[in-house]
Amino acid sequence: MFMSFTITPEPRDRMNKRLPVPFSAQLPEVIRSNYGKWVARKFHGNGIIEHISETGDRVFTVKVGLPSNSRVSVDTLEKFIEIADKYGLGVVRATRGMNLEFITDSLDKALKIKEEVEKLGFPVGGWGTSLWHITSCTAYLTCTTAVVDAPSITQVLYNNLKPYFTGEEKLPAKLMVFVAGCTNSCGGTLAGDIVIVGHYGQAPRPDPERIKFCLPSSSEALKKATPDVAAVCPVGAIRVFGKPDGSVGIEVDERKCIACGRCKNVCDYFDWDPTKIGVAIFVGGKTSNTGTGPRLPYKVVPWLPVNPPEYREVVAAVKKIIDVWKREAQPGERLGDFIDRIGIDEFMNKLGIPRTRHNRCEETSWNFGVRQFITYM
């Protein structure tokens, strides 16, 4: 299926900036010979694109939705490879949105690929005015800093939003959703149309017995450098201090803490109340240069509970955001551009969400999301 390649053997030779595996070695000839010559494209349904070269060559790409966090078995991969070899050009491409793309040289073969992967239970779609992807980090699968189970939230969202991916239901423009298990947001970006971020919703409590392993051994040692556990706090909420007996103490100012979890990244010995753990929802970010250009999102929901396996509150909030946008946006208007046109205050009003200091206003309310969205489920 793949062409042969040579990996540079000597570390000193890597300074020439060549990748360990030259990507060009994996390209089919029609892609390599038309590199930089593609001039047009056509959509055939919601998940098939025809690429047209100035040379007259044409290729077809079929986008296939994968399980959350792209977790598939070797058996499934082998079936994909069989399909790519039989109907495609012998290659597949993994996308940053955790989808899989098959490349072939005719529309008939593209439709056959669509038929075969759908028989395996995988949907085809995700282009044009649709849901392009829901990207998830690994969270509890492999991560030590996960706050919520991002892959299971992603799976539930896909179950509810699948018609937007396959094109059975249309959207005003493309929609990209990201689910991060913690505030590190390794699973994607904050610059997404809808971003769901797991967070603690509270200040951490240092473990009284084990926190010492993250602190200097004595007050004298503390004078030489600020320990990492305090240095990483972006708001100065963690104070490490020397005690009269020469030992070292630590305290967290709950009034300052923004529950970002940075302290957890450098020290495992913090505890949180699991009943207060939840997600925040950001909307309107994007990285493209269309409309008003690249932008970071607004935080509209500072906290919602996470209640597996259905995550009803999270699903209801996402559905309501999409419904308001779908109902009132102009054709081709991304979610962030729609919000900019009507104003964030008006968008919040349409969602029925009060402005608080936690979403850039004055009041304090951590659980308003439950009350506002529970009626929407």
Side-chain angles (χ1 to χ4, degrees), residues 46 132 174 214 216 306 368:
N46 205 55
W132 281 40
K174 69 168 68 173
C214 299
V306 284
F368 68 86

Side-chain angles (χ1 to χ4, degrees), residues 95-297:
T95 75
R96 82 168 184 116
M98 298 185 176
N99 297 310
L100 193 68
E101 294 180 354
F102 292 77
I103 303 173
T104 189
D105 55 9
S106 76
L107 180 58
D108 287 342
K109 291 179 181 178
L111 292 171
K112 192 62 179 178
I113 291 171
K114 180 177 185 293
E115 178 185 337
E116 292 298 314
V117 296
E118 287 179 341
K119 285 180 183 178
L120 296 176
F122 297 93
V124 171
W127 271 317
T129 56
S130 68
L131 171 64
W132 281 40
H133 60 76
I134 305 178
T135 299
S136 165
C137 70
T138 66
Y140 296 134
L141 292 172
T142 57
C143 185
T144 60
T145 62
V147 181
V148 299
D149 188 13
S152 67
I153 294 174
T154 299
Q155 184 63 62
V156 170
L157 286 173
Y158 255 132
N159 292 345
N160 284 271
L161 303 179
K162 179 184 173 184
Y164 292 123
F165 180 82
T166 59
E168 298 165 64
E169 293 190 37
K170 296 298 182 182
L171 294 169
K174 69 168 68 173
L175 175 67
M176 297 183 178
V177 180
F178 298 87
V179 184
C182 72
T183 52
N184 290 327
S185 295
C186 300
T189 174
L190 276 179
D193 295 294
I194 299 176
V195 184
I196 299 162
V197 180
H199 74 99
Y200 295 103
Q202 61 194 290
R205 299 189 304 269
D207 183 303
E209 296 298 323
R210 297 184 294 173
I211 193 66
K212 62 185 178 183
F213 296 114
C214 299
L215 302 177
S217 57
S218 66
S219 297
E220 193 63 29
L222 179 61
K223 296 177 182 179
K224 299 178 181 179
T226 301
D228 289 345
V229 71
V232 298
C233 182
V235 293
I238 297 178
R239 186 173 77 92
V240 178
F241 55 92
K243 295 181 178 180
D245 63 359
S247 64
V248 178
I250 184 173
E251 62 182 22
V252 179
D253 188 337
E254 296 185 5
R255 297 169 300 175
K256 290 183 178 180
C257 178
I258 58 174
C260 69
R262 287 286 291 129
C263 53
K264 176 72 171 177
N265 290 344
V266 298
C267 180
D268 287 331
Y269 306 125
F270 285 96
D271 294 322
W272 283 267
D273 181 349
T275 65
K276 295 181 180 179
I277 287 173
V279 297
I281 300 180
F282 298 77
V283 301
K286 62 189 178 78
T287 57
S288 74
N289 60 358
T290 59
T292 56
R295 48 161 301 148
L296 290 173

Side-chain angles (χ1 to χ4, degrees), residues 13-31:
D13 292 335
R14 295 175 187 168
M15 293 303 292
N16 60 14
K17 303 300 182 182
R18 290 187 63 194
L19 294 170
V21 181
F23 78 94
S24 58
Q26 309 292 321
L27 298 177
E29 179 56 35
V30 67
I31 300 293

